C-alpha cells in the first residue's frame, strides 16, 4: 500500500504537519495536471539543492516539496535531487533542514517506485529510523515516510532489517491517532514480506491493533488494514491466543464483519475461519459468544464470492457437529443456522438471527425464481410470447 492522498504534504510554512486531518481511507491520490516544468526552473532548483548555503538548500527543498505534491512529472524531473536531500537529513544541528528534506523526499516517493528505491539506496533509512525515536520532533513525518517507502517490495526486507518493526509498534501503542494509522499501515506493508510476521508477533502488537479497530470507523481503510493484519497474525497460535486474550478482541473483528467494507468483512470472516479451523473446540465458543451469527448470515447473501464461501464454511464449523447430517435432515445452510440459533443465549441475538434467517430464505427464493425465469426465456420458442412463459413459471 502506498501513502494515501492526505499524506502528500503541502508546501506552506515549514512547521506545518505532514498529515492533514482528513478521514483515513480516502480515495487514492490522483495527480493534478500542472504546466510542463520549465527546464531552466528545474535546473535552477537542482543547482540550489546542491549549494553550500544551508538556507538556499532549505528553500530548494521546500520548492521541490511543493512542485512534487501532485505532479508525477515533477517527481521524475527532481529524481536527481534525492541524494542531496538525503544528505540534508544528516545535518545534526538543523531540524529545519531535516524537516524540509524529509517532506520533499516524502512527496517525491509517492506513487514513484524508482524514487522509493533510490531514497533507501541513498542512505535515508538510518536518519528516518532516528527520527522515529520517541519524542523526536520529526517522528510523525518519519512515520508517514516509512509508510510510503515500505510500499515498495524491494524496500521491505531492508526496512524491516533496520529494526523499524518494534519502533512502529511503539508508535502504534503511544503515538497520536494519525501516527497510529500510519504505523499500522506500514506494518501491514511489511507483513507481506516472508518472515516479517514472526518479527511483528514478537513485538506483541495485537492489543494495540484491537484498540485501533475499536476507535476507527469500521468501514474505514484503517479498519481494513488492521483486520487484514490480524488475519495474517492469527495464522500463528501466538496471534490467536493474543486476540482471544485481549478484552473485546474477537468482538472487534465481529463488528468489522458486520459493518466493514466488503474487503474488511472478507478479512474479518477469514480471521474467524482461520481460528475455528485451527482448533474448533478451543475457538468455537469465544466466536459464538460475540454474536457472530447475524453478521455471517448477512455475509452469505451480500458478501463477495470469497466472503460468502468462507461465511458458509464457518457456519458449518460453528454448529454442534461440523459433520453432515443424515438424508432425513439435509446439510442445508438453513438447517445449519437453525441449529445454531437454538444454541444462542439471549433473546435479542436469537431474534436478530431468526430475522436474518427469514430474510436469507426469502432472498434465496427470489434468486431461484429469477433463475427459473431466465432459463424460461432462454428456452422459449420464437413463436411463444415471453410474457406468457414468464407467467407460467411464476404460477408454478
Amino acid at each position: 500500500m502506498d501513502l494515501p492522498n492526505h499524506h502528500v504534504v503541502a508546501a506552506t510554512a515549514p512547521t506545518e504537519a505532514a498529515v492533514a486531518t482528513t478521514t483515513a481511507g480516502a480515495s487514492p491520490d490522483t495527480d493534478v495536471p500542472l504546466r510542463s516544468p520549465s527546464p531552466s526552473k528545474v535546473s535552477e532548483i537542482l543547482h540550489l539543492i546542491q549549494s553550500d548555503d544551508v538556507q538556499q538548500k532549505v528553500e530548494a527543498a521546500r520548492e521541490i516539496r511543493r512542485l512534487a505534491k501532485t505532479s508525477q512529472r515533477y517527481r521524475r524531473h527532481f529524481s536527481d535531487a534525492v541524494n542531496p536531500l538525503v544528505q540534508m537529513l544528516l545535518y545534526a544541528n538543523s531540524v529545519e533542514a531535516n524537516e524540509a528534506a524529509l517532506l520533499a523526499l516524502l512527496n517525491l516517493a509517492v506513487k514513484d517506485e524508482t524514487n522509493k528505491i533510490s531514497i533507501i539506496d541513498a542512505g535515508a533509512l538510518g536518519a528516518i529510523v532516528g527520527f522515529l525515536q520517541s519524542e523526536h520532533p520529526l517522528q510523525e513525518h518519519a512515520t508517514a515516510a516509512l509508510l510510503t517507502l515500505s510500499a515498495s517490495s524491494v524496500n521491505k526486507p531492508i526496512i524491516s532489517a533496520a529494526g523499524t518493526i518494534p519502533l512502529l509498534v511503539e508508535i502504534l501503542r503511544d503515538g497520536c491517532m494519525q501516527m497510529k494509522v500510519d504505523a499500522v499501515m506500514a506494518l501491514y506493508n511489511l507483513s507481506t514480506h516472508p518472515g516479517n510476521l514472526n518479527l511483528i508477533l514478537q513485538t506483541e502488537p495485537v492489543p494495540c491493533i484491537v484498540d485501533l479497530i475499536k476507535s476507527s470507523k469500521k468501514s474505514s481503510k484503517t479498519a481494513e488494514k488492521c483486520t487484514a493484519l490480524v488475519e495474517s497474525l492469527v495464522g500463528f497460535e501466538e496471534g490467536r491466543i493474543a486476540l482471544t486474550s485481549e478484552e473485546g478482541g474477537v468482538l472487534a473483528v465481529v463488528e468489522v464483519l458486520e459493518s466493514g467494507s466488503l474487503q474488511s468483512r472478507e478479512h474479518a470472516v477469514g480471521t474467524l475461519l482461520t481460528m475455528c479451523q485451527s482448533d474448533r473446540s478451543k475457538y468455537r465458543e469465544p466466536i459464538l459468544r460475540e454474536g457472530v451469527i447475524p453478521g455471517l448470515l448477512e455475509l452469505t447473501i451480500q458478501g463477495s464470492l470469497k466472503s460468502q464461501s468462507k461465511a458458509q464454511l464457518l457456519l458449518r464449523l460453528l454448529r454442534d457437529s461440523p459433520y453432515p447430517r443424515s438424508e432425513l435432515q439435509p446439510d442445508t445452510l438453513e438447517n445449519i443456522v437453525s441449529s445454531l440459533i437454538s444454541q444462542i443465549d439471549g433473546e435479542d441475538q436469537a431474534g436478530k438471527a431468526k430475522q436474518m434467517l427469514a430474510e436469507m430464505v426469502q432472498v434465496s427464493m427470489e434468486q431461484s425464481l429469477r433463475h427459473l425465469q431466465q432459463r424460461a426465456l432462454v428456452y422459449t420458442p420464437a413463436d411463444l410470447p415471453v410474457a406468457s412463459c414468464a407467467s407460467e413459471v411464476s404460477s408454478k
Side-chain angles (χ1 to χ4, degrees):
M1 173 180 175
D2 212 330
L3 189 71
N5 186 42
H6 60 276
H7 276 299
V8 181
V9 286
T12 55
T15 56
E16 177 186 348
V19 182
T21 54
T22 55
T23 304
S27 58
D29 58 312
T30 53
D31 289 337
V32 179
L34 297 178
R35 289 184 301 174
S36 296
S38 162
S40 60
K41 183 173 185 178
V42 171
S43 296
E44 178 186 356
I45 295 172
L46 288 174
H47 176 73
L48 289 175
I49 200 68
Q50 299 182 65
S51 166
D52 292 331
D53 186 304
V54 174
Q55 194 55 43
Q56 285 188 342
K57 293 169 80 73
V58 168
E59 293 303 323
R62 290 175 185 164
E63 187 66 3
I64 291 171
R65 169 193 177 190
R66 182 185 72 82
L67 293 172
K69 177 188 175 187
T70 57
S71 170
Q72 183 63 32
R73 189 180 293 113
Y74 272 118
R75 291 172 199 146
R76 289 283 79 237
H77 279 285
F78 286 121
S79 59
D80 288 340
V82 167
N83 280 302
L85 285 169
V86 169
Q87 290 305 309
M88 289 175 66
L89 296 180
L90 306 177
Y91 290 177
N93 300 319
S94 179
V95 173
E96 181 185 31
N98 297 158
E99 180 180 51
L102 182 60
L103 297 182
L105 288 168
L106 177 54
N107 280 3
L108 287 175
V110 171
K111 296 178 70 176
D112 193 306
E113 178 75 3
T114 302
N115 281 348
K116 285 183 177 73
I117 296 170
S118 296
I119 290 167
I120 295 297
D121 287 346
L125 188 56
I128 292 173
V129 170
F131 299 153
L132 283 177
Q133 304 297 326
S134 177
E135 299 183 4
H136 193 286
L138 298 183
Q139 188 184 42
E140 184 172 352
H141 298 333
T143 308
L146 207 58
L147 164 57
T148 296
L149 296 171
S150 64
S152 165
S153 58
V154 174
N155 289 343
K156 289 177 184 182
I158 303 170
I159 291 173
S160 53
T164 55
I165 288 175
L167 292 172
L168 287 169
V169 173
E170 185 177 329
I171 290 169
L172 183 56
R173 184 178 297 112
D174 301 323
C176 68
M177 177 54 73
Q178 188 59 60
M179 288 167 62
K180 289 180 178 182
V181 170
D182 291 347
V184 80
M185 290 189 177
L187 285 169
Y188 170 76
N189 283 347
L190 295 175
S191 74
T192 60
H193 182 73
N196 278 350
L197 281 172
N198 277 316
L199 293 175
I200 294 172
L201 272 172
Q202 290 170 18
T203 64
E204 301 181 353
V206 171
C208 308
I209 299 172
V210 169
D211 285 343
L212 189 54
I213 294 175
K214 290 178 180 178
S215 61
S216 300
K217 187 176 181 181
K218 301 303 178 285
S219 58
S220 68
K221 183 65 70 173
T222 301
E224 178 186 320
K225 295 305 176 185
C226 284
T227 313
L229 186 52
V230 169
E231 182 182 15
S232 296
L233 293 175
V234 297
F236 301 81
E237 181 63 12
E238 303 96 305
R240 296 190 287 271
I241 292 172
L243 183 63
T244 52
S245 300
E246 179 66 17
E247 184 177 356
V250 175
L251 177 59
V253 176
V254 170
E255 288 175 344
V256 174
L257 185 146
E258 293 175 335
S259 308
S261 65
L262 281 175
Q263 193 62 50
S264 297
R265 299 175 81 186
E266 189 172 305
H267 290 310
V269 70
T271 298
L272 301 176
L273 180 59
T274 296
M275 294 172 65
C276 212
Q277 286 178 322
S278 70
D279 191 336
R280 178 180 176 275
S281 61
K282 183 175 184 178
Y283 296 112
R284 176 178 175 271
E285 285 303 322
I287 293 172
L288 279 174
R289 195 183 305 129
E290 302 301 349
V292 71
I293 301 304
L296 285 176
L297 285 174
E298 186 175 343
L299 209 55
T300 63
I301 303 169
Q302 298 180 356
S304 65
L305 290 177
K306 190 179 292 186
S307 294
Q308 290 179 18
S309 175
K310 289 181 178 181
Q312 292 179 19
L313 181 53
L314 182 55
L315 282 167
R316 286 182 171 86
L317 289 171
L318 290 176
R319 74 178 189 185
D320 263 342
S321 170
Y323 304 107
R325 300 186 178 196
S326 67
E327 293 182 3
L328 296 177
Q329 221 170 3
D331 189 23
T332 63
L333 189 56
E334 288 85 352
N335 283 338
I336 293 169
V337 176
S338 296
S339 172
L340 283 167
I341 290 173
S342 67
Q343 304 166 41
I344 295 177
D345 294 327
E347 293 183 5
D348 289 344
Q349 285 190 28
K352 187 175 181 181
K354 289 177 181 176
Q355 180 183 354
M356 287 295 302
L357 175 59
E359 292 174 359
M360 181 182 71
V361 172
Q362 178 65 29
V363 169
S364 178
M365 291 174 62
E366 290 173 356
Q367 289 175 340
S368 297
L369 180 58
R370 281 196 297 270
H371 180 64
L372 286 172
Q373 290 173 330
Q374 289 168 354
R375 289 185 62 188
L377 289 173
V378 171
Y379 292 108
T380 298
D383 58 345
L384 183 64
V386 170
S388 64
C389 179
S391 63
E392 287 178 15
V393 173
S394 61
S395 65
K396 289 181 180 178

